[in-house]
Amino acid sequence: MKRHRSCLAAAAALLLLAAAVPLAAHVPPTQPLDSPAVNARAEALLRQLSTTEKIYLLSGYDFMFTHPIPAHGIPALKMSDASVGVRVWGPSTAYPASAALAATWDPALAYREGHSLGRDARARGVNFVLGPGMDIVREPQNGRNFEYLGEDPELASRMAVAWIRGLQDEGVAAVAKHYAGNEQETHRGTINSVISRRALEEIYLAPFRAAVEQGHVMAVMAAYNKVNGLYSSANPYLLTTMLRRQWHFRGVAMSDWGGTHSTLPSLLAGLDLEMPTNQYYNARAIYPLLGSGELTMANINRHVLRLLRVMVAMRFLDRAQKIASIPLIDPTSAATAEQVESEAVVLLKNRDAILPLRAAGLHSIVVVGPDATPAVTGGGGSSFTTPNIAPVSLLAAVRQAAGPGVRVTYFSYPLPLRPPHMWPPPKANSFGPLPPLPEAQQAAIRRASVVIAAVGPRESEGVDRPFRMPAHQDQYLRQVAALNSRTVVVIYAGAGVAMSAWIHQVAGLLYAWYPGENGNTAVAKILFGRLDPSGHLPDTFAQHWSDAPAFGHYPGHDGAVHFAEGIDVGYRWFDSKHIAPLFPFGFGLSYTAFRLSGLRVASSGQGRHRVITASVRVSNTGRRAGAEVVQLYVRPAPAPVPRTFQQLRAFARVALAPGQSRRVALHLHWNDFAYYDTPAHAWRVPAGDYQLAVGDSSRHILQTAAVHWNPVERVQAGMVAAAANVPPVQVAGAWNIVTQVMGTSYPSTCSFQQNGDVLSGQCSTPSGERPIQGRVRGAVVSWSTHVAQGGMKMTVAYSGQFTAPHQRRFQGATTVLPMGISGTFTAVRQ
Ligand code: BGC
């Protein structure tokens, strides 16, 4: 489902973003994988290779490289983990967890992070970054949830697509992983994830599909586990039916490290590259298969061609990957990392407005908890990035933010709980009882103006973790909060933890995810009110593990885990079972207040080309600057199969000054209303009334509106609808077009040529001439143009309509991609 979406964000965001991304004259343009020129060159190269050389290219060596063939100018391609920093090749900027990135709900920032990480990779000559992680947060126990982008496919897709584009625009290939069904670490090397076709299509594969279709990702990594009986690395449904036939993926499918289990089945299923060695993809195994006819040269050629295509498209054959002028310790990347954390921190509880702390009214702060110091920067495993700088601990950041006038005392945790990234994570029973708090500590805690407690689970690749935090942290929090109710808890984790034991006793709660090397600076700024908390939960936080959708089926038995909840993942489950979560999906408090009002719905186009635009006014009614995350859920019409109560289909993060208001436009398309009809192997939109529900969390809906879908399109009252069978309007000629993006007007003059329904032409703007291309469908006109600014390539897409054909005027919406910033435009014929 190709989706073109937009969200309204601050005009300043575009400019700030452009300013934040440094001028990058070195940015090598990549070419589309399906370009005929790329294909022709890859095929020419293929023809020069011997069979042995081809086989050689099908596997990796030295853990992080593909094989080179110097005689043909084919370099060894260097790889690195991954989504939170370029980790393999020495210290590097350690970014916050991907869960934190998801909590920002800010695709523009995801683009910026991908871009920064791409620069870090170029500084180290890395060709492939083994991310983003795109598995769905199915249960909080998954030890790798922190590497993923939340429980919702819409949120995960948009964040991943933007991140991939940012990385690849810097000349580094992204590798979407782990495809698919790797929603737990327990028995990951052998477990069979049993997932219905509908849940695969609607939930688990959706982010991968978006990565291919919208992100144009260069590579995909097959997961360790099996899906519906076959290893992902030898699964024709995943690697051929979906990836190649349905989504037209032209890049490389590689195995996870050591995740290849066969030669013939894997080659036939569509796995191109065995990583990191050639245990199965080697000449000894492959030549006899070619000899017996079980394998054809055409099969080998197909696999090799995909790798060559990526090399050509990414220009790996034409330039050095390493850019020595990019500093290894790059302040731009550090600024990006801190910005991510500053938008990611979620304020979950703020009793009696204990936060923000006002340094003036404080005499002493006591900091406790295992995660206060040393700094917690990330979870464990292959993503753990050794920071470039001495990482900032929460204790140090609080001391810095509190200033010299406030006494900050720290008490170390009474049990030896090591930082989360240190392998192996503790076993539940590896700690003795919690010793009583010494008298002096009790007295200091009692006297403190405020207590800040930094706690968290121990999360790492390769193992899951319990819902309850280890080493009696619950009991510890209860003791501390009983001594001083002005306790603020800061949790470092990739997903929810059990909180029922102490949540009612504490005054404040912040979720900091893993903050990377310097994110604790942002956490402290939020604690002291120098920044407004604006993160929103990318997962539902359950009160009890027994409330969660996977309860009873996780982690499986007899070698299989049944995803028995089907499509009811995350909030869909809590909604359909009427279970109150502890904190709902999409939830996040702020120090300021927002109002959502005046929902309007407009519709243009027909059937599958219909675009529904919901716009809503967002106002900052408080006294501080802040950012709201506007969320649009679609509640379906009755269908022949059960559907979820509602699904997130669009969102926008909106930064507003105090007293400021802005109208936000969210666009929906046919597929946003569709479900997967398993027997028919097709997507369907049943006719009927759908509800659009707009709110600031999945459980706080403030505005609703109805949208009707008919098998035959009909005009809706209150909607601007395209009349059926309208002949294409005449756009040919010159137009004055004024584009409004967040209160700023950009004038241009565009001349369109029209050939039937195909548009071409150019726009002249104060910053230069730009070619345009587009289409006319009935009364709907859409076109796009490309802009380069500050080293970033952007696409500005327009879609508008004549309210009556042959008018001298038409208007509509514009979107700046990849940031998704929206605006409006009006075109008047000259
Ligand atoms: C992980 C991958 C990672 C690879 C290379 C595997 O253990 O599952 O996510 O990219 O190692 O480090």
Side-chain angles (χ1 to χ4, degrees):
M1 283 185 292
K2 192 144 184 145
R3 289 220 284 258
H4 304 280
R5 305 176 159 284
S6 62
C7 61
L8 200 61
L14 173 57
L15 302 171
L16 280 179
L17 183 65
V21 177
L23 256 181
H26 60 266
V27 172
T30 57
Q31 303 175 77
L33 273 171
D34 57 0
S35 114
V38 167
N39 206 43
R41 183 159 168 210
E43 280 184 347
L45 203 49
L46 181 76
R47 283 193 290 273
Q48 295 170 24
L49 301 178
S50 68
T51 304
T52 304
E53 286 169 333
K54 290 176 186 171
I55 293 173
Y56 199 50
L57 283 176
L58 297 180
S59 62
Y61 88 101
D62 210 6
F63 207 65
M64 281 285 158
F65 289 93
T66 59
H67 280 111
I69 308 188
H72 299 290
I74 296 177
L77 301 179
K78 187 172 178 180
M79 305 191 176
S80 176
D81 287 300
S83 335
V84 299
V86 180
R87 86 151 211 128
V88 180
W89 306 101
S92 188
T93 303
Y95 296 85
S98 304
L101 186 63
T104 69
W105 295 61
D106 187 349
L109 189 56
Y111 180 91
R112 181 173 152 190
E113 186 186 287
H115 200 273
S116 289
L117 213 139
R119 281 171 52 88
D120 301 339
R122 293 300 298 270
R124 292 160 179 81
V126 168
N127 303 80
F128 285 89
V129 164
L130 306 171
M134 303 175 58
D135 297 278
I136 292 287
V137 174
R138 174 174 179 251
E139 69 287 305
Q141 287 90 334
N142 182 356
R144 288 189 99 169
N145 278 335
F146 69 90
E147 286 188 62
Y148 302 141
L149 294 161
E151 72 182 20
D152 180 74
E154 170 67 20
L155 176 62
S157 297
R158 282 200 46 204
M159 300 304 284
V161 164
W163 192 94
I164 291 165
R165 287 182 180 169
L167 186 89
Q168 295 194 165
D169 281 356
E170 199 46 44
V172 180
V175 183
K177 72 184 187 187
H178 308 90
Y179 181 64
N182 190 178
E183 268 70 27
Q184 65 186 48
E185 289 296 280
T186 304
H187 306 312
R188 69 174 180 177
T190 52
I191 195 93
N192 178 21
S193 296
V194 181
I195 315 176
S196 73
R197 179 74 188 256
R198 184 168 172 207
L200 280 166
E201 295 265 1
E202 292 190 18
I203 309 283
Y204 297 101
L205 301 192
F208 290 97
R209 180 172 192 170
V212 170
E213 292 184 343
Q214 298 167 46
H216 308 293
V217 73
M218 291 284 156
V220 168
M221 184 191 290
Y224 281 126
N225 51 283
K226 298 172 192 150
V227 172
N228 296 335
L230 292 176
Y231 274 113
S232 299
S233 57
N235 193 313
Y237 162 76
L238 291 177
L239 296 175
T240 297
T241 309
M242 301 309 288
L243 203 53
R244 308 282 175 190
R245 297 220 178 102
Q246 303 254 339
W247 312 337
H248 308 290
F249 177 61
R250 317 255 306 166
V252 172
M254 66 177 74
S255 69
D256 201 340
W257 269 227
T260 312
H261 301 276
S262 59
T263 307
L264 188 62
S266 303
L267 282 167
L268 293 181
L271 185 79
D272 305 311
L273 182 64
E274 177 186 2
M275 288 304 294
T277 59
N278 65 351
Q279 199 185 342
Y280 294 96
Y281 282 20
N282 57 50
R284 206 172 2 96
I286 290 176
Y287 269 115
L289 294 169
L290 288 171
S292 67
E294 288 166 277
L295 198 62
T296 60
M297 227 19 241
N299 178 294
I300 297 293
N301 286 342
R302 253 199 312 277
H303 294 299
V304 176
L305 192 60
R306 290 169 187 157
L307 185 64
L308 295 176
R309 241 194 246 125
V310 169
M311 291 185 195
V312 175
M314 295 300 300
R315 303 197 192 279
F316 292 155
L317 303 176
D318 303 327
R319 55 162 171 76
Q321 185 66 3
K322 185 174 168 129
I323 302 178
S325 59
I326 301 179
L328 287 173
I329 301 180
D330 191 343
T332 317
S333 299
T336 303
E338 188 180 334
Q339 182 63 26
V340 171
E341 185 67 6
S342 65
E343 293 187 22
V345 173
V346 187
L347 176 62
L348 290 172
K349 181 169 183 184
N350 197 12
R351 192 179 65 208
D352 302 330
I354 186 168
L355 297 176
L357 303 175
R358 289 150 197 98
L362 298 174
H363 56 84
S364 69
I365 300 176
V366 168
V367 178
V368 296
D371 291 348
T373 191
V376 165
T377 60
S382 61
S383 74
F384 183 77
T385 308
T386 305
N388 250 334
I389 55 163
V392 181
S393 70
L394 184 65
L395 177 62
V398 165
R399 283 210 163 111
Q400 167 81 24
V406 183
R407 186 153 40 88
V408 179
T409 313
Y410 165 67
F411 298 127
S412 61
Y413 197 64
L415 292 171
L417 189 58
R418 299 185 306 163
H421 69 274
M422 291 186 73
W423 185 269
K427 298 237 179 300
N429 56 3
S430 55
F431 298 93
L434 191 68
L437 285 182
E439 278 301 326
Q441 285 194 22
Q442 292 195 27
I445 289 171
R446 240 187 246 113
R447 274 197 315 270
S449 317
V450 67
V451 180
I452 298 174
V455 297
R458 292 308 183 250
E459 294 177 332
S460 181
E461 178 182 343
V463 60
D464 289 344
R465 51 87 165 168
F467 189 46
R468 190 169 290 279
M469 293 185 287
H472 311 296
Q473 292 178 78
D474 289 353
Q475 199 187 333
Y476 184 74
L477 289 176
R478 284 170 55 173
Q479 285 180 12
V480 169
L483 293 167
N484 190 333
S485 64
R486 290 174 58 79
T487 293
V488 175
V489 176
V490 180
I491 295 187
Y492 295 89
V497 296
M499 301 183 207
S500 312
W502 48 264
I503 183 85
H504 302 295
Q505 280 177 262
V506 303
L509 173 61
L510 284 180
Y511 235 70
W513 314 102
Y514 295 115
E517 63 186 30
N518 56 9
N520 274 319
T521 307
V523 177
K525 283 183 187 162
I526 287 170
L527 284 168
F528 286 87
R530 274 158 227 158
L531 272 176
D532 192 64
S534 58
H536 284 244
L537 289 183
D539 319 318
T540 308
F541 282 8
Q543 310 211 29
H544 311 287
W545 161 227
S546 54
D547 291 343
F551 179 76
H553 303 282
Y554 161 90
H557 50 82
D558 298 336
V561 52
H562 290 260
F563 287 36
E565 70 280 16
I567 55 169
D568 277 342
V569 180
Y571 60 87
R572 293 161 169 80
W573 172 267
F574 287 81
D575 287 344
S576 70
K577 303 289 177 220
H578 307 288
I579 300 170
L582 182 60
F583 296 110
F585 174 78
F587 177 75
L589 298 170
S590 159
Y591 298 151
T592 188
F594 299 99
R595 190 178 56 231
L596 299 183
S597 58
L599 175 63
R600 283 191 221 140
V601 179
S603 171
S604 64
Q606 300 283 312
R608 287 187 181 235
H609 301 295
R610 185 175 173 193
V611 180
I612 291 163
T613 302
S615 76
V616 67
R617 179 157 289 282
V618 195
S619 311
N620 181 346
T621 57
R623 298 220 185 97
R624 309 171 57 101
E628 177 61 304
V629 173
V630 181
Q631 301 158 39
L632 192 165
Y633 296 84
V634 172
R635 297 178 173 170
V641 297
R643 297 197 66 179
T644 49
F645 170 63
Q646 60 181 6
Q647 304 193 66
L648 180 77
R649 299 325 265 158
F651 60 88
R653 183 188 161 90
V654 193
L656 294 169
Q660 197 187 359
S661 289
R662 185 170 294 154
R663 185 158 275 282
V664 178
L666 301 159
H667 302 295
L668 298 173
H669 302 80
W670 180 88
N671 50 272
D672 292 313
F673 297 82
Y675 76 94
Y676 187 74
D677 178 347
T678 307
H681 298 307
W683 292 86
R684 298 248 178 277
V685 175
D689 289 321
Y690 291 70
Q691 236 195 2
L692 307 187
V694 177
D696 58 11
S697 87
S698 63
R699 290 288 174 110
H700 195 223
I701 298 303
L702 295 151
Q703 299 267 293
T704 57
V707 165
H708 189 84
W709 278 89
N710 246 359
V712 180
E713 196 55 62
R714 71 173 196 210
V715 177
Q716 293 299 301
M719 295 182 184
V720 186
N725 304 321
V726 181
V729 289
Q730 284 310 310
V731 190
W735 295 80
N736 292 326
I737 300 183
V738 180
T739 307
Q740 292 268 350
V741 182
M742 302 314 128
T744 307
S745 298
Y746 301 92
S748 60
T749 306
C750 300
S751 60
F752 293 93
Q753 281 95 52
Q754 190 171 354
N755 187 358
D757 63 354
V758 176
L759 285 183
S760 58
Q762 67 174 29
C763 285
S764 93
T765 73
S767 56
E769 297 284 313
R770 285 172 203 149
I772 54 181
Q773 51 189 350
R775 268 203 134 61
V776 183
R777 285 197 183 87
V780 179
V781 184
S782 52
W783 75 94
S784 64
T785 180
H786 301 289
V787 187
Q789 196 174 345
M792 234 177 91
K793 289 184 297 178
M794 293 177 282
T795 301
V796 188
Y798 290 83
S799 179
Q801 77 178 139
F802 290 81
T803 44
H806 314 301
Q807 274 187 347
R808 298 191 59 78
R809 199 182 150 81
F810 66 104
Q811 54 202 15
T814 179
T815 311
V816 185
L817 297 168
M819 295 90 80
I821 296 171
S822 301
T824 57
F825 74 89
T826 307
V828 179
R829 202 185 281 272
Q830 278 189 345

